[in-house]
Amino acid sequence: MALSIEKVIHNLHFDRLFLDRIDAVDRATLKENEKKNKKTKLLHANGIPFHYLAVFKTLLCMREADMTPETIAKNFEQLFGRHIKQSSLSRTLTYLKDTLKLVQKNKNAFADSRFRYIKLTSAGREFQKHLIGSTSTKQDYAPEMREVINIAGRRVS
Amino acid sequence: MLRLNIKNMAKMTNKAVWLISHLYCKVWYWGRCTLRNQSDFDYFISDLRTDNSPLKFQTFFQKKVIVNDDIERSVAVRFGYIQIEYSFTKKKKEDNLLHLFGYDAMEEVIKALVKITKVSHHNASVFSLAKRRKEKADGVKYRKSNS
C-alpha cells in the first residue's frame, strides 16, 4: 500500500509540475505584456488539452536518438491506444517547444533526416526524472498531496 | 538598398503566403469537416524561418508525403518559408479496447455463483469402501454382521 501511494504521489507530482510550468509561462507573458501595455490572453483558460501531456510523457519514455515524428506517433499509439496525426503531433511539439520550452526541435519536414531532430531541454530532462520517480528529485508538493490522498479510508501522512 | 528591398519583398511574400494558406485551409476544413460533420482532416501551418540560422531553399514549392499507411495520410507542403502539414484519416482502428467499465460486476458474480452451484450438484464420485475390503486370513470375504 505504501509503495502504491508513492507511485500516486510521483504521478500527481508530475502533473502538478506540468501545470506549474504553464502557470509560470503565463505569469512571464503577463509581466512582459504589462510593460508593453498589451492585453494578455491566458493560456488554457478552459482547461489543458490532454494530448499535450500525453505526447510529452511519450517523449519522456524514449531515447533522444529515437525521437522522430513517426516513432513518436507510433509509440503514442502503443502507449495510449489512440492514433495521433502528424499535423496534430507537429502542433503539439511546437507548443512544447515554443510555449513551454520543454523540447528543442527542427520542424522542417524537408530537411535531411540528419538535420531533423527532437530533443529534451534541461527542464524537459528534469520532468523525465519526476516521471520515472528518481530519488534525486525533490518533491515539494508531496506533503500537501499526502494530506489529500485518502484511499481506503486512511490518510498516508 | 537593393538587398533591403529584396528582404522586404521576401517578408511580404511570406506574410501573403501565410495569410492565403490559413484562409485556404480554413475553407478546406470547413468544407470537408464542418459541412460533412466529420473530423477526418487536420492541418498545421508553421513558419520555417529561424532567427539563428536563416534557411535557404532552392525552390519555392516542395511537397513530401510524411506518412501514408492504413490509418493516415500526411503530407507536408512548402511555399517559400511557410510549411503546411495536412493529414487525412483513412479509417478507424479496430476496436481492441479493454472494456473496464463495459460490464456489470454483479452479473459476473452471479454467473460465477451459478457455475459453482452447478458443479457442486454433479454426481459425487464417492469412494466405495465396501468393494475394496481385504479378504481375511480364514478366507471369509466380509465380516458377518452381528445383528
Side-chain angles (χ1 to χ4, degrees):
Chain A
M1 183 73 178
L3 201 65
S4 306
I5 297 295
E6 289 309 313
K7 282 178 192 168
V8 172
I9 289 170
H10 270 298
N11 192 3
L12 291 174
H13 210 269
F14 180 88
D15 294 343
R16 174 72 186 262
L17 289 178
F18 193 82
L19 297 179
D20 276 4
R21 183 84 186 175
I22 291 168
D23 206 27
V25 170
D26 256 346
R27 282 170 202 274
T29 323
L30 197 73
K31 260 190 185 177
E32 215 172 88
N33 287 353
E34 264 179 11
K35 282 179 195 168
K36 294 175 190 169
N37 277 335
K38 264 186 180 178
K39 280 188 180 177
T40 318
K41 202 176 166 188
L42 276 177
L43 280 171
H44 313 301
N46 297 322
I48 295 138
F50 176 69
H51 70 272
Y52 287 165
L53 196 64
V55 166
F56 185 48
K57 276 187 176 175
T58 311
L59 282 177
L60 296 185
C61 296
M62 294 170 68
R63 288 189 314 147
E64 274 187 1
D66 300 333
M67 286 182 191
T68 57
E70 294 82 11
T71 328
I72 296 167
K74 196 179 149 199
N75 287 356
F76 182 90
E77 198 174 340
Q78 279 183 331
L79 284 178
F80 296 101
R82 203 180 161 89
H83 186 73
I84 186 163
K85 286 179 200 158
Q86 285 298 318
S87 49
S88 177
L89 182 64
S90 284
R91 189 184 303 119
T92 310
L93 289 174
T94 306
Y95 168 81
L96 290 173
K97 176 189 165 253
D98 293 340
T99 313
L100 298 188
K101 295 179 175 55
L102 294 172
V103 296
Q104 289 177 318
K105 77 173 185 107
N106 179 8
K107 56 190 172 182
N108 187 358
F110 300 97
D112 195 294
S113 58
R114 289 171 297 169
F115 302 110
R116 288 173 67 194
Y117 63 87
I118 297 162
K119 53 188 179 185
L120 298 173
T121 59
S122 55
R125 279 199 203 94
E126 199 63 33
F127 269 94
Q128 195 172 36
K129 283 180 189 169
H130 280 280
L131 183 72
I132 59 175
S134 170
T135 47
S136 64
T137 51
K138 201 179 161 199
Q139 290 185 309
D140 295 322
Y141 298 116
E144 287 171 48
M145 285 171 179
R146 281 179 211 280
E147 291 282 314
V148 177
I149 297 168
N150 186 12
I151 302 168
R154 61 191 177 122
R155 302 229 182 257
V156 287
S157 53
Chain B
M1 188 70 185
L2 184 70
R3 198 178 165 194
L4 194 75
N5 282 341
I6 291 167
K7 249 190 178 179
N8 279 345
M9 275 294 286
K11 270 189 183 177
M12 287 286 283
T13 318
N14 216 38
K15 273 188 181 174
V17 172
W18 175 265
L19 273 172
I20 291 164
S21 52
H22 265 282
L23 197 71
Y24 184 80
C25 286
K26 258 193 183 157
V27 173
W28 194 1
Y29 183 85
W30 182 77
R32 190 174 170 100
C33 297
T34 316
L35 279 184
R36 291 166 64 223
N37 201 20
Q38 282 191 359
S39 53
D40 58 353
F41 172 69
D42 186 44
Y43 68 91
F44 178 61
I45 302 165
S46 53
D47 192 346
L48 295 177
R49 279 179 309 167
T50 48
D51 299 329
N52 303 330
S53 58
L55 289 163
K56 277 182 183 171
F57 295 108
Q58 287 182 340
T59 53
F60 180 76
F61 176 79
Q62 250 181 318
K63 188 178 176 180
K64 187 182 176 185
V65 178
I66 308 170
V67 176
N68 191 11
D69 55 18
D70 297 343
I71 305 165
E72 171 197 355
R73 181 183 156 83
S74 288
V75 181
V77 181
R78 185 181 61 76
F79 294 98
Y81 287 102
I82 303 300
Q83 178 179 279
I84 308 165
E85 286 173 78
Y86 58 90
S87 313
F88 302 104
T89 312
K90 283 183 181 172
K91 64 169 185 180
K92 272 224 147 191
K93 223 179 73 177
E94 281 175 30
D95 181 16
N96 56 355
L97 306 174
L98 294 173
H99 293 283
L100 283 180
F101 310 106
Y103 70 98
D104 185 8
M106 188 49 83
E107 203 174 286
E108 295 294 319
V109 172
I110 291 166
K111 268 185 201 169
L113 281 173
V114 168
K115 203 176 173 186
I116 291 166
T117 321
K118 270 183 191 169
V119 170
S120 65
H121 283 82
H122 282 168
N123 289 336
S125 54
V126 179
F127 193 72
S128 178
L129 289 169
K131 290 175 185 171
R132 292 165 190 267
R133 280 181 182 168
K134 279 184 183 174
E135 283 182 22
K136 294 285 167 188
D138 53 358
V140 181
K141 219 177 183 182
Y142 302 114
R143 199 178 291 278
K144 282 179 184 173
S145 173
N146 290 333
S147 57

